[in-house]
């Protein structure tokens, strides 16, 4: 991208240089023409004074004046044609530069959404794995204080290694939280989550290979911080094909991923331009899930209609003041796909 910017700048510099040198040359020709024109007039005057003897000089003077006129016409035509060509070259260079920049923004957007998809795919693996933990299945089968304490400690150990989570919670099939991994930080035990989307989808899984999900929302289980919640049925003896006894919910720190990915993208691209820039992740409805830069909470419907169904692309500015935008849609990773979009918008 840096090389492209240098090339674009070089073309602009050369075109401006050509235009400037042309103006200097034409001005020089005009001065020579003016001098010749003066000489031809003087020759005409002297020829008139010489009478019959000066007729030959008068003819020469007239020819010189005609040549001056033709030279002037050619010079003016040359100036007009070259200035038009240089102007067209400058406009083409600007257009190509915009396309190159748009491709750069589009590529960055694709990287953003790919990082999101890959990272969140791991979350689906985590919840399905941890739902088979013996401490987790024992807690919902026995419901004794000892089993619940053992479960809480085990969840805490997991959280110590997986710092991307706010908390892990174990629920019975009625939606009551029996244990959580950070009881000293979040007092969620005893709360009921049966109306939560993540709980309902987790409770309706057919076996341990499936998982439930709820999009970005503020969770009362972790002091109303923004989370993504994944869930999986807890089954008898930890057997993925066993009878479902409860639900494991994992509360992922969304801002720790979404905002960081957007910020890193924004910081990288701002080194390449002095124009205001916004990098953001949005859902198909146009709600902004994470952003770096001064972004409104929603994206206009016209923008979402333009990007919907397309894997990656660029929206070029149509008039002065419009933004240049690169976008990419979620293509998924392995068995997971968010269905979200990454947008990188730069004022143009």
């Amino acid at each position: 991208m840096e090389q492209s910017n240098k090339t674009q700048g070089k073309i602009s510099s050369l075109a401006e240089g050509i235009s400037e040198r042309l103006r200097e040359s034409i001005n020089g020709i005009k001065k020579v023409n003016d001098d010749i024109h003066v000489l031809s007039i003087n020759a005409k005057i002297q020829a008139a004074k010489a009478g019959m003897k000066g007729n030959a000089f008068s003819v020469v003077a007239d020819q010189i004046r005609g040549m001056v006129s033709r030279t002037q016409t050619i010079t003016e035509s040359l100036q007009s044609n070259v200035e038009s060509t240089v102007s067209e070259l400058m406009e083409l260079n600007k257009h190509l530069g915009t396309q190159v920049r748009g491709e750069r923004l589009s590529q960055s957007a694709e990287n953003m959404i790919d990082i999101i998809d890959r990272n969140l795919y791991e979350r689906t693996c985590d919840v399905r794995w941890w739902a088979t933990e013996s401490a987790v299945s024992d807690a919902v089968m026995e419901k004794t204080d000892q089993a619940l304490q053992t479960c809480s400690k085990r969840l805490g150990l997991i959280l110590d290694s997986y710092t991307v989570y706010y908390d892990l919670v174990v629920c019975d099939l009625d939606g009551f939280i029996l244990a959580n991994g950070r009881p000293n930080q979040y007092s969620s035990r005893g709360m009921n989550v049966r109306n939560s989307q993540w709980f309902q989808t987790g409770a309706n899984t057919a076996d341990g290979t499936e998982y439930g999900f709820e999009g970005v929302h503020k969770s009362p289980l972790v002091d109303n911080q923004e989370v993504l919640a994944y869930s999986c049925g807890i089954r008898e003896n930890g057997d993925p094909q066993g009878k479902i006894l409860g639900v494991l919910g994992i509360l992922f720190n969304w801002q720790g991923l979404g905002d960081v990915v957007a910020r890193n993208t924004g910081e990288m691209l701002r080194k390449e331009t002095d124009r205001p820039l916004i990098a953001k992740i949005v859902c198909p409805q146009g709600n902004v899930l994470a952003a770096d830069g001064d972004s409104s909470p929603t994206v206009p419907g016209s923008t979402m209609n333009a990007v919907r169904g397309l894997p990656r692309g660029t929206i070029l500015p149509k008039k002065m003041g419009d933004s240049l935008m690169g976008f990419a849609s979620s293509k998924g990773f392995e068995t997971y796909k968010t269905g979200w979009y990454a947008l990188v918008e730069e004022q143009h």
Side-chain angles (χ1 to χ4, degrees), residues 40-92:
S40 71
I41 292 175
N42 288 334
K44 187 78 171 177
I45 293 171
Q46 293 302 322
K49 289 180 178 180
M52 293 295 293
K53 294 180 180 180
N55 286 342
F57 290 101
S58 178
V59 172
V60 172
D62 288 339
Q63 290 296 321
I64 291 175
R65 290 176 64 187
M67 291 173 63
V68 169
S69 178
R70 292 199 301 273
T71 302
Q72 184 175 355
T73 300
I74 293 171
T75 302
E76 290 174 351
S77 176
L78 174 64
Q79 182 175 15
S80 176
N81 290 337
V82 173
E83 286 182 349
S84 175
T85 301
V86 169
S87 177
E88 186 177 350
L89 177 61
M90 294 284 285
E91 188 64 29
L92 177 61

Side-chain angles (χ1 to χ4, degrees), residues 140-160:
V140 293
M141 284 192 297
E142 300 175 12
K143 295 185 180 179
T144 63
D145 287 341
Q146 182 176 353
L148 295 176
Q149 288 176 7
T150 299
C151 177
S152 182
K153 289 180 180 179
R154 178 57 183 159
L155 296 179
L157 287 173
I158 293 173
L159 289 169
D160 288 341

Side-chain angles (χ1 to χ4, degrees), residues 139-141 143 148 169-179 190-194 198-199 203 234 244-248:
V140 293
M141 284 192 297
K143 295 185 180 179
L148 295 176
V169 295
V170 170
C171 316
D172 62 20
L173 287 180
D174 292 322
F176 287 100
I177 295 178
L178 303 176
M191 295 178 66
N192 193 285
V193 293
R194 63 174 171 265
W198 64 263
F199 173 80
I234 302 169
I244 189 168
L245 303 172
V247 174
L248 171 67

Side-chain angles (χ1 to χ4, degrees), residues 1 96-111 269 312-316 324-327:
M1 182 64 198
L96 292 176
T98 300
Q99 287 188 320
V100 170
R101 183 60 178 169
E103 175 62 22
R104 171 63 167 156
L105 300 184
S106 174
Q107 184 182 60
S108 298
E110 185 176 50
N111 291 338
L269 292 173
R312 181 161 78 96
T314 303
I315 300 177
L316 299 174
L324 172 66
M325 180 179 291
F327 65 88

Side-chain angles (χ1 to χ4, degrees), residues 257-269:
L257 174 64
D259 287 353
V260 169
V261 170
R263 182 170 63 250
N264 288 345
T265 301
E267 289 176 352
M268 174 186 66
L269 292 173

Side-chain angles (χ1 to χ4, degrees), residues 53-335:
K53 294 180 180 180
N55 286 342
F57 290 101
S58 178
V59 172
V60 172
D62 288 339
Q63 290 296 321
I64 291 175
R65 290 176 64 187
M67 291 173 63
V68 169
S69 178
R70 292 199 301 273
T71 302
Q72 184 175 355
T73 300
I74 293 171
T75 302
E76 290 174 351
S77 176
L78 174 64
Q79 182 175 15
S80 176
N81 290 337
V82 173
E83 286 182 349
S84 175
T85 301
V86 169
S87 177
E88 186 177 350
L89 177 61
M90 294 284 285
E91 188 64 29
L92 177 61
N93 184 49
K94 180 180 177 182
H95 178 71
L96 292 176
T98 300
Q99 287 188 320
V100 170
R101 183 60 178 169
E103 175 62 22
R104 171 63 167 156
L105 300 184
S106 174
Q107 184 182 60
S108 298
E110 185 176 50
N111 291 338
M112 284 176 64
I113 197 64
D114 184 58
I115 291 172
I116 297 292
D117 278 346
R118 287 172 180 269
N119 196 292
L120 296 184
Y121 165 72
E122 295 179 5
R123 311 289 69 88
T124 70
C125 297
D126 290 345
V127 72
R128 287 176 286 182
W129 172 26
W130 296 334
T132 64
E133 283 272 339
S134 58
V136 172
S137 57
D138 288 347
V140 293
M141 284 192 297
E142 300 175 12
K143 295 185 180 179
T144 63
D145 287 341
Q146 182 176 353
L148 295 176
Q149 288 176 7
T150 299
C151 177
S152 182
K153 289 180 180 179
R154 178 57 183 159
L155 296 179
L157 287 173
I158 293 173
L159 289 169
D160 288 341
S161 299
Y162 290 80
T163 57
V164 295
Y165 294 104
Y166 284 123
D167 205 3
L168 310 180
V169 295
V170 170
C171 316
D172 62 20
L173 287 180
D174 292 322
F176 287 100
I177 295 178
L178 303 176
N180 67 306
R182 289 182 173 146
N184 295 329
Q185 188 172 354
Y186 304 116
S187 303
S188 60
R189 183 174 176 180
M191 295 178 66
N192 193 285
V193 293
R194 63 174 171 265
N195 293 324
S196 299
Q197 182 182 350
W198 64 263
F199 173 80
Q200 293 177 358
T201 53
N204 289 323
T205 52
D207 55 44
T209 66
E210 298 181 353
Y211 62 89
F213 172 74
E214 184 171 352
V216 179
H217 65 284
K218 293 182 178 180
S219 173
L221 304 181
V222 289
D223 298 336
N224 286 322
Q225 297 179 98
E226 283 194 339
V227 304
L228 285 175
Y230 294 84
S231 58
C232 186
I234 302 169
R235 299 178 183 275
E236 196 169 27
N237 298 318
D239 181 359
Q241 304 301 322
K243 177 183 177 182
I244 189 168
L245 303 172
V247 174
L248 171 67
I250 62 176
L251 307 176
F252 177 72
N253 178 359
W254 165 242
Q255 291 181 328
L257 174 64
D259 287 353
V260 169
V261 170
R263 182 170 63 250
N264 288 345
T265 301
E267 289 176 352
M268 174 186 66
L269 292 173
R270 287 191 189 92
K271 296 176 182 178
E272 305 168 0
T273 181
D274 56 358
R275 292 168 173 158
L277 183 144
I278 305 172
K280 48 195 167 186
I281 302 292
V282 303
C283 69
Q285 293 74 33
N287 297 321
V288 176
L289 305 176
D292 176 63
D294 187 16
S295 174
S296 60
T298 58
V299 173
S302 57
T303 300
M304 294 309 302
N305 290 335
V307 306
R308 188 169 286 113
L310 299 176
R312 181 161 78 96
T314 303
I315 300 177
L316 299 174
K318 295 181 179 179
K319 61 181 185 298
M320 185 68 68
D322 284 354
S323 296
L324 172 66
M325 180 179 291
F327 65 88
S329 62
S330 166
K331 60 183 178 182
F333 180 73
E334 297 290 346
T335 58

